[in-house]
Amino acid sequence: MAFTKAAVMMDDARTKADDKEALSQALRFNHLLWTIIQADITEPSNSLPPELKANIMSLSLFVDKQTTAVLRSRNAEEVEILITINRNLAAGLRSNPGDPVEGS
């Protein structure tokens, strides 16, 4: 649900291009979410496979860089990739492993 909330916040901010505070709040929420994920996957008690942890960390570093870029530019249109990442993760987390993959 957190990924979906962040995506909705960023999408709303994108549609209100003049509201820089909404964009800033959405990006801060998204950054907090990804910081929590980074902290969790670096915990020794996290039992995810190392390769999956590495992939998540790589994605989170990309999100950090993209977030910083949007905060600098203040261009709401640049949040599209962050919205897409969050929506895709939310959809993947909602699905069951046995469910058919959409589009296949």
Side-chain angles (χ1 to χ4, degrees), residues 26-83:
L27 289 168
R28 283 194 305 263
F29 180 83
N30 194 56
H31 179 71
L32 175 62
L33 171 61
W34 281 94
T35 299
I36 292 167
I37 292 166
Q38 288 173 358
D40 182 65
I41 63 172
T42 59
E43 283 292 317
S45 61
N46 185 302
S47 61
L48 289 174
E51 184 178 351
L52 182 55
K53 287 183 191 182
N55 290 341
I56 294 169
M57 184 57 79
S58 292
L59 184 58
S60 70
L61 293 174
F62 173 81
V63 168
D64 283 351
K65 288 178 186 175
Q66 187 64 23
T67 299
T68 301
V70 178
L71 283 169
R72 279 192 198 135
S73 73
R74 310 287 280 174
N75 183 348
E77 290 302 314
E78 294 178 9
V79 300
E80 182 63 35
I81 188 67
L82 297 172
I83 294 168

Side-chain angles (χ1 to χ4, degrees), residues 1-8 10 30 33-34 59 62-63 80-95 101-102:
M1 290 176 56
F3 285 115
T4 299
K5 179 179 177 175
V8 168
M10 289 185 288
N30 194 56
L33 171 61
W34 281 94
L59 184 58
F62 173 81
V63 168
E80 182 63 35
I81 188 67
L82 297 172
I83 294 168
T84 300
I85 289 169
N86 284 15
R87 285 184 175 157
N88 287 337
L89 282 169
L93 291 170
R94 280 192 305 266
S95 68
V101 176
E102 287 185 34

